[in-house]
């Protein structure tokens, strides 16, 4: 949080990316179509994942009853029967994070390749930039929902404890084939994160940089800082903002801006809050604070408490 205060007290004069990125209507050109279609297969499932997460109610009541009456076999069976399908949902969410990671890396490959600069890529390949933004928008929405639903970790912890007990007692466990021990370990690490999707994308971006040693790291960090600048400029420039036809586009831009700031901070050697950062953090925070407080508190908190920002 100290870094956030420092940023507010210093001036940064970076050349912002002054162009309109059409998040509402961008369509792929012929050269974008191959990557676009691959990513679109993943993104078409994103809304369904969010709906499933939003409606996730958990098996808290059944679990409590089973724990309070350990000798009652019917209550044990009822709790297990309630948890198994929920763990199936959690598995689906986790597997989607892996698909999203692959999609992000495909987009990064397209948007950071030579000979074009990041600004040229984002301006020329607006459909891919839009998909990149949609991944970030989904990610922050997913993590916001996950953070307010403690049932997820409670259900999964109960599932693992019960499964372990069944193995010790040689009791066949329905549902074990769906989530084996190795997968359960990976899922446990995923759901232990406060912001699991954001952590997945941050790690994927770092991995992309490390695996593409022939590509200067600046190609990736400049792509992220340019995207942050584009979002900020569109939000603070009446001429651009008036071109939004959907009122949801403002919140979309705000989420994307915060998402790329966090990715930048994770990948860049000195982070987003450093004096040499190419992101105008003061301007970005001002744009956030100019919105109705209730609509951006979660985004400001994401910047305050994102673990990699506290350097």
């Amino acid at each position: 949080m100290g870094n956030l205060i420092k940023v507010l007290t210093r001036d940064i004069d970076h050349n912002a990316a002054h162009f309109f990125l059409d998040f509402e209507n961008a369509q792929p050109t012929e050269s974008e179509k191959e990557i676009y279609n691959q990513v679109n297969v993943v993104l078409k499932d994103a809304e369904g994942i969010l709906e499933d997460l939003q409606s996730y109610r958990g098996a808290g009541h059944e679990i409590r009853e089973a724990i309070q009456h350990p000798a009652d076999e019917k209550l044990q069976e009822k709790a297990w029967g309630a948890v198994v399908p929920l763990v199936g949902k959690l598995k689906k969410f986790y597997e989607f994070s892996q698909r999203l990671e692959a999609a992000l890396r495909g987009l990064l490959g397209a948007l950071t390749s030579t000979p074009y600069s990041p600004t040229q890529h984002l301006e020329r390949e607006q459909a891919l930039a839009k998909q990149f933004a949609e991944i970030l928008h989904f990610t922050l929405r997913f993590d916001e929902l996950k953070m307010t639903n403690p049932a997820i970790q409670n259900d999964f912890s109960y599932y693992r404890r019960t499964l372990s007990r069944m193995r010790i007692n040689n009791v066949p466990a329905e549902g074990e084939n769906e989530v084996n021990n190795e997968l359960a370990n990976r899922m446990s690490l995923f759901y232990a994160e406060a912001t699991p999707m954001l952590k997945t994308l941050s790690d994927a971006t770092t991995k992309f940089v490390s695996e593409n040693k022939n590509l200067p790291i600046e190609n990736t960090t400049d792509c992220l800082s340019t995207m942050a600048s584009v979002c900020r400029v569109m939000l603070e420039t009446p001429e651009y903002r008036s071109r939004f036809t959907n009122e949801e586009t403002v919140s979309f831009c705000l989420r994307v801006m915060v998402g790329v700031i966090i990715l930048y901070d994770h990948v860049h050697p000195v982070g987003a809050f450093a004096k040499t950062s190419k992101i105008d953090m003061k301007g970005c925070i001002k744009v956030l604070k100019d919105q109705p407080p209730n609509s951006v508190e979660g985004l400001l908190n994401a910047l305050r408490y994102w673990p990699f920002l506290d350097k």
Side-chain angles (χ1 to χ4, degrees):
M1 193 185 298
N3 284 331
L4 196 64
I5 294 165
K6 284 179 192 172
V7 163
L8 290 172
T9 60
R10 78 177 149 82
D11 293 320
I12 304 175
D13 184 23
H14 293 309
N15 292 321
H18 286 270
F19 65 88
F20 184 79
L21 209 168
D22 194 351
F23 284 141
E24 295 178 345
N25 304 303
Q27 295 298 315
T29 59
E30 200 58 41
S31 63
E32 293 173 89
K33 276 186 179 175
E34 184 180 353
I35 296 291
Y36 181 90
N37 289 338
Q38 291 170 10
V39 175
N40 202 47
V41 170
V42 178
L43 283 174
K44 69 181 177 59
D45 294 333
E47 201 58 41
I49 293 288
L50 290 175
E51 287 171 5
D52 283 351
L53 179 57
Q54 197 154 19
S55 64
Y56 189 101
R57 292 293 172 263
H61 174 71
E62 292 86 349
I63 291 171
R64 281 191 300 275
E65 289 288 301
I67 290 172
Q68 287 168 10
H69 304 91
D72 190 324
E73 284 303 317
K74 285 188 177 178
L75 288 177
Q76 306 308 310
E77 289 173 11
K78 187 178 179 183
W80 181 250
V83 163
V84 167
L86 291 172
V87 169
K89 281 190 176 184
L90 297 181
K91 179 193 174 196
K92 184 171 78 169
F93 300 160
Y94 171 75
E95 288 175 340
F96 186 76
S97 78
Q98 304 306 291
R99 294 172 62 203
L100 205 65
E101 175 184 344
L104 177 76
R105 290 170 69 182
L107 287 172
L108 284 173
L111 294 171
T112 61
S113 61
T114 54
Y116 301 118
S117 70
T119 301
Q120 289 171 324
H121 271 300
L122 293 174
E123 200 165 6
R124 292 165 57 98
E125 295 153 13
Q126 296 217 356
L128 297 186
K130 177 175 179 277
Q131 287 185 318
F132 182 35
E134 285 170 345
I135 287 176
L136 290 165
H137 184 249
F138 164 84
T139 295
L140 267 70
R141 286 177 68 198
F142 181 96
D143 286 346
E144 284 167 10
L145 289 170
K146 186 266 177 186
M147 287 176 79
T148 57
N149 196 337
I152 288 172
Q153 279 182 274
N154 293 339
D155 292 347
F156 196 63
S157 295
Y158 178 81
Y159 174 84
R160 298 202 72 187
R161 289 197 309 273
T162 305
L163 196 59
S164 177
R165 194 164 60 247
M166 287 176 163
R167 286 197 188 116
I168 291 168
N169 296 327
N170 292 319
V171 176
E174 178 200 349
E176 184 181 358
N177 293 334
E178 232 186 279
V179 181
N180 60 35
N181 204 42
E182 183 192 349
L183 178 57
N185 287 336
R186 284 187 273 126
M187 286 173 61
S188 187
L189 290 171
F190 177 77
Y191 288 112
E193 295 288 341
T195 53
M197 284 289 177
L198 205 45
K199 181 69 163 63
T200 297
L201 294 196
S202 297
D203 289 348
T205 307
T206 300
K207 193 173 181 183
F208 172 82
V209 169
S210 65
E211 287 180 352
N212 293 273
K213 297 190 186 301
N214 60 326
L215 197 69
I217 188 172
E218 290 78 18
N219 286 37
T220 303
T221 55
D222 286 357
C223 174
L224 300 175
S225 61
T226 303
M227 180 74 94
S229 292
V230 168
C231 290
R232 177 181 58 77
V233 169
M234 288 200 299
L235 288 163
E236 67 186 11
T237 307
E239 178 194 343
Y240 289 154
R241 193 158 171 164
S242 66
R243 292 171 66 178
F244 296 159
T245 58
N246 187 332
E247 60 184 27
E248 292 296 315
T249 305
V250 171
S251 63
F252 180 90
C253 279
L254 291 166
R255 275 200 180 92
V256 172
M257 183 179 74
V258 169
V260 287
I261 288 170
I262 291 171
L263 288 188
Y264 179 97
D265 187 78
H266 189 54
V267 176
H268 197 280
V270 297
F273 285 98
K275 288 182 179 179
T276 53
S277 170
K278 291 188 177 179
I279 295 180
D280 178 2
M281 287 299 302
K282 186 177 179 180
C284 290
I285 292 164
K286 182 181 184 302
V287 165
L288 285 166
K289 292 197 166 186
D290 284 345
Q291 311 306 314
N294 291 345
S295 67
V296 294
E297 190 57 34
L299 296 177
L300 283 167
N301 284 339
L303 291 179
R304 288 186 187 113
Y305 304 122
W306 170 247
F308 296 99
L309 289 180
D310 190 19
K311 293 184 177 178

